[in-house]
Amino acid sequence: MKELFQHSAMTDGITVRVAVNFLPEQSQPEAEKWFWVYHIRIENASHETVQLMTRHWRITDGAGMVAHVDGDGVVGEQPVLKPGESHDYVSGCPLDTPFGSMEGFYTFQREDGTPFEVRIPFFPLAAPATAN
């Protein structure tokens, strides 16, 4: 698992794993546009069923500009995870600089309705160096 997912964090029995890749075919360095795709796997190793309700991302570009992105669920879904289940999704991040970073948290809800936050690990976004 560690070979595929370079970054991970666990909160209250919920593990968030992240694999990130630079996409040169979606990037236009001459126009100051770089693009990464990230694959997230959320694993429920707790003893209760939980539902992912919202997400909060902190995206920082190479110039230090910070963007906060909040929304319901992930890629249009609010998955319910029973103990032992996992959910995978893929999304992307454009930046105006060749490097930056992402981190954040998901808000989950327990069966009794109580919310709790699950950390999304910090991960760098870095385009490979290119010679001109």
Side-chain angles (χ1 to χ4, degrees), residues 23 31 35 44 53 56 104 109 132:
L23 288 187
F35 192 82
N44 182 1
M53 303 305 292
H56 172 81
Q109 185 171 291
N132 291 336

Coordinates of all heavy atoms in Angstrom, one line a residue, residues 23 31 35 44 53 56 104 109 132:
L23 N 0.7 16.0 -14.1 CA 0.3 15.6 -15.5 C 0.8 16.6 -16.5 O 0.2 17.7 -16.7 CB -1.3 15.6 -15.5 CG -2.0 14.5 -14.8 CD1 -3.5 14.6 -15.1 CD2 -1.5 13.2 -15.2
A31 N 2.3 29.0 -20.3 CA 1.1 29.9 -19.9 C 1.0 29.9 -18.4 O 0.0 30.4 -17.9 CB -0.2 29.3 -20.6
F35 N -0.7 21.2 -13.7 CA -1.8 20.4 -13.2 C -1.4 19.1 -12.6 O -0.5 18.4 -13.2 CB -2.8 20.1 -14.4 CG -4.1 19.6 -14.0 CD1 -5.1 20.4 -13.5 CD2 -4.3 18.2 -14.0 CE1 -6.3 19.9 -13.1 CE2 -5.5 17.7 -13.6 CZ -6.6 18.5 -13.2
N44 N -11.9 2.8 6.6 CA -12.6 2.8 7.9 C -12.1 1.6 8.7 O -12.6 0.5 8.5 CB -14.1 2.9 7.8 CG -14.8 2.9 9.1 OD1 -14.1 3.0 10.1 ND2 -16.1 2.9 9.1
M53 N -19.3 13.9 5.1 CA -20.2 14.9 4.8 C -19.7 16.1 4.0 O -20.3 16.5 3.0 CB -20.8 15.4 6.1 CG -21.5 14.3 7.0 SD -22.7 13.4 6.2 CE -24.0 14.6 6.0
H56 N -12.7 20.2 3.3 CA -12.0 21.5 3.4 C -10.6 21.3 3.0 O -9.8 20.5 3.5 CB -12.0 22.0 4.9 CG -11.2 23.3 5.0 ND1 -11.7 24.5 4.6 CD2 -9.9 23.5 5.3 CE1 -10.7 25.4 4.7 NE2 -9.7 24.8 5.2
G104 N -5.8 19.3 4.4 CA -7.1 19.7 4.8 C -7.7 18.7 5.7 O -7.0 18.0 6.4
Q109 N -19.6 12.0 9.8 CA -20.7 12.0 10.8 C -20.8 10.5 11.3 O -20.9 9.6 10.5 CB -22.0 12.4 10.2 CG -23.2 12.5 11.1 CD -24.4 13.1 10.4 OE1 -24.4 14.3 10.2 NE2 -25.4 12.3 10.1
N132 N 15.3 24.5 -20.7 CA 14.8 25.3 -21.8 C 15.8 25.2 -22.9 O 16.9 25.2 -22.8 CB 14.6 26.8 -21.4 CG 13.4 26.9 -20.4 OD1 12.5 26.1 -20.4 ND2 13.5 27.9 -19.6

